[in-house]
Amino acid sequence: ACYKCERFFHMRCLPEPLAGIPKSDWCCTLCKGDPNVVFSRENIQNLAGTQQSKMPSAKQTEERGDMTRVKTKSCTIVPKDHIGSIPGVHVGQSWKFRIHVSESGIHRPPVAGISGSAKKPAVSIVLAGGYPEDIDRGEEFVYTGSGGYDFVGTSQQRKAQSFDQELTRQNRGLALACAAPLDETVGGTANDWKQSSAIRVCRSYKAAKKHPEYAPAEGVRYDGLYRIVKYWKEKGVSGFYVWRYLFRRDDPEPAPWTDEGKAFIEQMGFTMYDPDVDIDGRTGMTKAGSAVAGTKRTGNVNGSNCQSVVAKKYKFQPTAILRELVRLDTDNTRMWADIHEKEYATESAYIEATKGHLSCPICQELVQQPVTLPCSHNVCCSCLCSSMNAYGNICPMCCHDFSSMGSKSDVKGKVNQNLVTIMRALIPSYGSEWITEPNATTAQFARREGQPVN
């Protein structure tokens, strides 16, 4: 995978085929700007020869494990440029590989450290200790922008910055997230840093080399929302200019390196998501064919007996408010019974299960402005109206007749508000495109402020 554009290439299909896996970050010809040079062969492992040499070493597999993983799904709960926390994902959750962090929606780029563009504020970053100028104090840290490195040359040459960073692309996206005027010359400071856009921050195990007290020992961990206090331009340790950003934590959930954070992780039962173990850390469900949670399993590895303890399985409990909202949604009693008969270890697993039951049979997306038919199927109001024009009052899922609901104009007024309230509780951004908040009257404003009502 190209370090800059994140596109994937077959090694044998390149203009100059690679003989093996590069030792460090690799760039494609388009990103390097030189179509005649792909990668210097002297910097590539020579894997020709023995049959054993055709496979990457154990160290390479460990260091570049993400490259062997395939993205199997994308986060559809919120849009790609969503600002703020991801519903169902809490501080302290962790993943073994970056590709699964991308699937969760916390940080979508599988390789790049900044998720953002030159036109919109950045929404997430990953701290991996890639720049010598980085400073991490936990609640605050100084982050260095991207760029300034030439990926052509020897491994030692690529480790040193060779040109100035510019306030473009992802660097500009970070600057746009700061509540300060955009200044491409010297930077800016927010008058009120809490007005800056919230940015999701993850810490990688790679950052533990410099700051082990704040970074995880393994995988990538979500550490909560931060905001940019200021950004500025200065000369780095290599003598070239870099853009630096001061982040400050602003999240109600406790930081995972604190005693409160560790207790929160234990209380929630978070385990690192590793697709190669029996417990699915993303959904918290025990994989099929695995041993019973909490028991020992005996196996034979390389001729020797071994025992491993299967991780304990936790059960997610909906809040009392959510249970009451579900109780009020009497039109979907059967659906909620099907959802709640299973156990979920995380809130995200519960949300995913709910979304699976609320897929519109016409557009195949999460139902919007849901209308619950007498047969208990939920359909988008606009999709249902289109179906009524073509096929009449027939359920698009089971062909049940719902003439009792009246005409199309009557159906438009029968959006299931109880279900909308539940989805808003699970996914705060749900319905943001079509929900209109009513304007408060003068009397309502007076009551809120404790003033007399005329």
Side-chain angles (χ1 to χ4, degrees):
C2 175
Y3 176 79
K4 291 187 176 180
C5 67
E6 301 174 5
R7 292 186 300 169
F8 289 83
F9 299 86
H10 288 134
M11 293 190 297
R12 291 180 296 180
C13 299
L14 293 168
E16 184 180 350
L18 298 179
I21 301 174
K23 291 183 179 180
S24 59
D25 296 320
W26 172 84
C27 275
C28 66
T29 56
L30 294 178
C31 291
K32 288 190 298 185
D34 186 357
N36 298 318
V37 180
V38 176
F39 201 84
S40 178
R41 285 183 176 272
E42 64 186 25
N43 301 315
I44 302 175
Q45 289 178 315
N46 183 10
L47 299 183
T50 64
Q51 181 69 21
Q52 183 180 3
S53 67
K54 295 181 180 179
M55 296 296 293
S57 66
K59 183 178 180 180
Q60 293 167 345
T61 303
E62 179 182 357
E63 292 179 349
R64 303 188 64 83
D66 277 350
M67 298 301 120
T68 65
R69 304 288 166 176
V70 178
K71 190 172 182 179
T72 58
K73 61 173 294 182
S74 297
C75 176
T76 58
I77 296 177
V78 293
K80 185 177 181 180
D81 55 355
H82 173 72
I83 296 175
S85 58
I86 303 296
V89 182
H90 298 275
V91 172
Q93 288 186 244
S94 59
W95 302 261
K96 187 171 184 179
F97 299 111
R98 278 282 299 272
I99 195 70
H100 301 121
V101 181
S102 176
E103 291 180 354
S104 71
I106 284 293
H107 183 74
R108 307 235 180 187
V111 178
I114 305 173
S115 177
S117 66
K119 297 182 179 180
K120 294 183 178 180
V123 296
S124 63
I125 65 170
V126 172
L127 282 174
Y131 288 85
E133 294 85 2
D134 290 347
I135 300 174
D136 194 352
R137 293 186 287 266
E139 293 292 326
E140 286 187 349
F141 62 85
V142 177
Y143 187 78
T144 306
S146 63
Y149 286 79
D150 189 353
F151 294 97
V152 179
T154 65
S155 177
Q156 196 64 32
Q157 288 173 336
R158 292 194 303 276
K159 291 181 180 179
Q161 187 176 348
S162 56
F163 56 92
D164 295 337
Q165 290 186 357
E166 297 179 353
L167 197 65
T168 58
R169 303 177 68 178
Q170 291 95 336
N171 292 346
R172 185 183 178 91
L174 286 175
L176 292 175
C178 181
L182 184 66
D183 190 323
E184 299 182 1
T185 305
V186 296
T189 301
N191 292 327
D192 182 3
W193 66 273
K194 288 203 172 185
Q195 296 301 316
S196 298
S197 296
I199 296 178
R200 299 183 295 274
V201 172
C202 295
R203 282 181 171 87
S204 168
Y205 73 96
K206 296 179 180 179
K209 297 178 182 179
K210 296 181 179 179
H211 305 284
E213 63 272 33
Y214 304 117
E218 186 179 9
V220 182
R221 184 188 64 207
Y222 174 53
D223 286 354
L225 299 177
Y226 284 70
R227 301 179 190 272
I228 297 179
V229 179
K230 62 179 180 178
Y231 67 101
W232 68 97
K233 184 179 182 180
E234 68 177 30
K235 281 193 175 182
V237 296
S238 61
F240 294 95
Y241 282 102
V242 294
W243 282 97
R244 309 190 72 191
Y245 306 83
L246 174 60
F247 282 75
R248 185 172 295 162
R249 196 169 190 274
D250 185 26
D251 198 294
E253 295 183 340
W257 57 84
T258 63
D259 293 339
E260 296 82 359
K262 293 175 182 178
F264 177 73
I265 293 174
E266 178 67 23
Q267 176 187 353
M268 298 295 290
F270 294 150
T271 56
M272 184 178 68
Y273 174 49
D274 184 353
D276 297 328
V277 298
D278 290 327
I279 297 296
D280 189 332
R282 181 171 56 87
T283 63
M285 304 298 291
T286 305
K287 293 184 178 180
S290 64
V292 179
T295 63
K296 287 187 176 181
R297 180 184 57 197
T298 303
N300 187 285
V301 179
N302 296 329
S304 61
N305 292 327
C306 67
Q307 289 184 335
S308 62
V309 178
V310 180
K312 182 180 178 182
K313 183 174 69 173
Y314 292 82
K315 181 180 178 181
F316 166 74
Q317 294 288 351
T319 63
I321 295 177
L322 184 59
R323 291 198 300 270
E324 178 63 17
L325 293 174
V326 169
R327 186 188 67 81
L328 295 175
D329 186 19
T330 56
D331 293 337
N332 287 299
T333 301
R334 185 174 63 185
M335 180 192 73
W336 292 116
D338 291 341
I339 293 175
H340 290 155
E341 72 178 2
K342 298 180 181 179
E343 294 184 354
Y344 309 95
T346 63
E347 185 180 352
S348 58
Y350 180 83
I351 294 176
E352 286 186 8
T354 303
K355 284 186 58 185
H357 282 77
L358 291 174
S359 176
C360 175
I362 297 177
C363 67
Q364 301 297 309
E365 299 290 344
L366 178 62
V367 63
Q368 302 292 327
Q369 293 181 299
V371 176
T372 305
L373 303 179
C375 55
S376 298
H377 289 125
N378 293 281
V379 189
C380 298
C381 183
S382 59
C383 294
L384 185 60
C385 291
S386 299
S387 176
M388 292 175 68
N389 291 333
Y391 305 106
N393 293 32
I394 300 295
C395 173
M397 188 70 177
C398 65
C399 296
H400 179 83
D401 186 277
F402 59 89
S403 299
S404 59
M405 295 186 68
S407 63
K408 186 168 67 174
S409 58
D410 296 326
V411 168
K412 289 182 178 179
K414 294 184 178 180
V415 173
N416 188 339
Q417 296 298 335
N418 288 326
L419 183 56
V420 171
T421 304
I422 294 172
M423 294 307 298
R424 293 272 288 176
L426 293 175
I427 308 174
S429 61
Y430 175 79
S432 57
E433 297 179 354
W434 46 268
I435 289 181
T436 55
E437 299 293 342
N439 294 325
T441 63
T442 304
Q444 288 174 325
F445 273 120
R447 291 191 183 96
R448 290 178 185 175
E449 301 297 328
Q451 298 174 358
V453 179
N454 298 328

